[in-house]
Amino acid sequence: MRHRLIAAVALSLLFAAPGLSAVAQVAELPAPGVGRAAYAPFEHLVGKTWRGVGTGPAAAEDIQRWDWAVGGHAVRVVHSVGGGAYAGETLIFRDKDSGAYIFHYFTSGGFHTTGVMRPTGPGAFEAEETVHGLDGFPPIRSTMVMGADGVHRTRGYQLENGVWVEKGGFDYREDASAVPVMPALAPVAREAAVAVGPLDLTRRIVATSGTAGEDSAGYARIGNGSAVADELFSVSCACAVRVEFHRINRGPDGVSMDADPIWAVPAEGALEVRPGSDLHFMLINFDPAKAVAGRVELTLTFRDAGTVRADFALTDNSRNAWTAFD
């Protein structure tokens, strides 16, 4: 699904170098100061555009452009994946007190990261960072090394059960003809009103890549104007073999995806099944060909309010589609 691709790409783009020790061996840094001299470790990258090919089976393409920012007092990296399907910007700044290179990475996927980069040798870095906006996303590290062949290679690592596991990366070569493409803004969302009894169903979307047979996630906000709670106990669609209520559970033994029998709709409140939360409708073996004008019809059955049919809009970016209703 869409958020999985975004997370995988982010892992490979958050810059650093070889070695995943708890405390990296830091290379000799330029003397503290301001201006471009403070960013000497990045000189081989700045002012250039790089085309990267993913190391995973999907072999996604990423374009990066490195430039000076803030008049030479910081470094800015703009990148896009898949011709603008996803993009982000990183601002790298040298902290005056610690001398460390801190960075903030902003994305079109609705999340951002903060972290610290440490040079570990000529053309090599290690980074540690925290992801904000992807609920429960574990800490990540990444490495970047410029090879003697002119290829700089990034690799991302995710902490799983106390072990750093490689999650892929990109191999970049300089390409002056390449240009990062920013994703188009999602149009203002419009949907027909759907209600059953005191319940109203809004922000109705299904995230899909458009590939038939893959499991796809559905989202919606179910508001309850009654002083009595209700329960959602069934969802179906001609577009899927079945629809399950999935919940992400995080515990000491790791992360699991479990199916709930029902979901409660709180009194005078709302059940929010939203991108980035622990809940989603899982449309098993989804068939996008069943859509009409970009929408599929789901049937939802509640304990008290009864049954209602509602159209759900298809999207390849659930977070953007959800926030477009704001």
Side-chain angles (χ1 to χ4, degrees):
M1 294 185 301
R2 182 84 189 144
H3 67 276
R4 292 176 187 158
L5 170 63
I6 291 174
V9 170
L11 283 167
S12 66
L13 298 174
L14 307 166
F15 319 112
L20 292 171
S21 56
V23 179
Q25 180 65 42
V26 179
E28 184 177 351
L29 297 175
V34 296
R36 297 186 180 186
Y39 298 91
F42 304 99
E43 286 182 343
H44 63 291
L45 296 168
V46 178
K48 300 176 181 178
T49 306
W50 303 83
R51 185 186 300 274
V53 177
T55 61
E61 182 180 78
D62 177 52
I63 305 297
Q64 292 185 0
R65 173 67 190 182
W66 290 64
D67 285 301
W68 294 110
V70 198
H73 296 276
V75 173
R76 176 173 177 254
V77 186
V78 178
H79 86 97
S80 67
V81 178
Y86 163 79
E89 296 193 16
T90 300
L91 194 66
I92 304 169
F93 184 78
R94 190 164 189 194
D95 182 69
K96 184 176 180 181
D97 294 332
S98 67
Y101 295 102
I102 60 175
F103 64 88
H104 204 149
Y105 174 54
F106 306 93
T107 77
S108 65
F111 68 96
H112 65 107
T113 78
T114 54
V116 178
M117 298 173 60
R118 305 180 184 90
T120 56
F125 304 88
E126 181 179 81
E128 296 184 6
E129 62 203 292
T130 301
V131 179
H132 311 273
L134 289 178
D135 296 346
F137 204 85
I140 58 179
R141 290 179 177 174
S142 53
T143 66
M144 186 174 76
V145 181
M146 174 61 77
D149 55 0
V151 178
H152 74 97
R153 299 170 171 87
T154 67
R155 299 295 184 266
Y157 301 81
Q158 192 171 13
L159 190 61
E160 295 182 355
N161 299 320
V163 178
W164 289 103
V165 179
E166 183 176 333
K167 294 293 182 176
F170 286 81
D171 294 340
Y172 294 90
R173 292 170 173 81
E174 187 179 356
D175 185 347
S177 67
V179 178
V181 178
M182 295 298 102
L185 291 175
V188 175
R190 300 186 185 278
E191 61 182 2
V194 173
V196 55
L199 308 180
D200 61 272
L201 287 68
T202 58
R203 300 182 182 235
R204 307 182 306 271
I205 55 177
V206 169
T208 176
S209 68
T211 301
E214 74 175 10
D215 298 343
S216 299
Y219 305 96
R221 183 183 188 276
I222 304 173
N224 187 359
S226 169
V228 178
D230 206 335
E231 291 180 344
L232 173 64
F233 64 86
S234 174
V235 177
S236 62
C237 180
C239 61
V241 172
R242 64 183 182 280
V243 181
E244 298 178 350
F245 301 161
H246 277 198
R247 178 186 301 273
I248 300 173
N249 289 312
R250 299 172 176 84
D253 296 327
V255 179
S256 63
M257 186 84 71
D258 301 315
D260 290 339
I262 60 172
W263 280 340
V265 184
E268 298 181 340
L271 168 63
E272 282 207 346
V273 185
R274 59 176 176 81
S277 74
D278 290 340
L279 304 180
H280 58 270
F281 302 109
M282 183 58 79
L283 284 70
I284 306 299
N285 197 14
F286 179 66
D287 182 3
K290 297 294 179 66
V292 176
R295 296 176 179 272
V296 292
E297 186 179 80
L298 274 66
T299 300
L300 298 87
T301 302
F302 299 88
R303 181 196 64 203
D304 298 328
T307 298
V308 63
R309 293 183 176 89
D311 63 314
F312 281 60
L314 303 189
T315 178
D316 65 349
N317 190 322
S318 59
R319 286 178 177 270
N320 282 0
W322 182 273
T323 58
F325 289 98
D326 295 335

